[in-house]
Amino acid sequence: MIFIKIGMFADGCFRFNVYIPDNFPYARPSLRFVTPVFHPQIKSTGELNIAKAFPTWTPRKDRIWHLLRYTKRCFFSINTFDATNPAAAEAVHKSIDTFRSQAKLCVEKSIKLYNKTEESDITPADDGNVFNVTPLSSQELEKIKRKATVGSEDTIFYTLNCVGAIFTMFLNFRAHCDCRINLI
């Protein structure tokens, strides 16, 4: 979840999920908002245009915290180049006031969803925590163990440091991005 304090989306509380692919760090992650956001770089499905900032994802150079920083910056810099949401890009070009009012509606909706005074089709029911973990099955765990012991040096490095890196990433993101993280 990201809390925006200034700009057109000020006071917004936007919840999102980061999806890390099986072949990470050799493939870029994706980010999808579960709170509705009207923005040129965010599709109507909630998917953030990651390819714009990361045309290729480079191991040991690109980090998930870079993705999170880019996500926050999208709320302050409304870029319509290579927009994935044509309606939002058109609103910016036709009338910034129209776009500003749409952004304000997103903020109001996000606050209602955050305070749980309104239900949403796309915001999953949960226990109120921002950081949720899905347990691995025994088969998935064995697959990860095999990758860690039979992979290249890079694969072993990234597999063994995954938990520590993710925890550090969230601590750094929290310190620099004004967000709330609850670990369960």
Side-chain angles (χ1 to χ4, degrees), residues 26 60 147-161:
Y26 301 102
R60 295 188 185 235
K147 276 186 176 181
T149 57
V150 188
S152 68
E153 184 178 308
D154 282 344
T155 304
I156 293 169
F157 172 79
Y158 282 107
T159 304
L160 295 177
N161 290 299

Side-chain angles (χ1 to χ4, degrees), residues 37 39-49 84-85:
V37 183
H39 189 285
Q41 297 302 327
I42 301 171
K43 294 180 184 178
S44 59
T45 60
E47 187 178 348
L48 177 64
N49 183 6
T84 56
N85 185 335

Side-chain angles (χ1 to χ4, degrees), residues 81-100:
F81 182 72
D82 288 337
T84 56
N85 185 335
E90 186 178 333
V92 170
H93 288 294
K94 282 190 173 180
S95 168
I96 196 68
D97 290 331
T98 301
F99 179 77
R100 191 173 278 119

Side-chain angles (χ1 to χ4, degrees), residues 2 13 19 25 28-29 36 43 46 58 60 65 69 87 92 100 114 116 118 127-128 166 168 173 177 180:
I2 186 167
C13 324
Y19 299 95
R28 73 174 158 244
K43 294 180 184 178
T58 308
R60 295 188 185 235
W65 71 265
R69 183 176 59 189
V92 170
R100 191 173 278 119
Y114 177 72
K116 299 194 186 297
E118 187 172 306
D127 61 357
I166 290 173
T168 302
F173 182 65
C177 299
R180 182 190 88 188

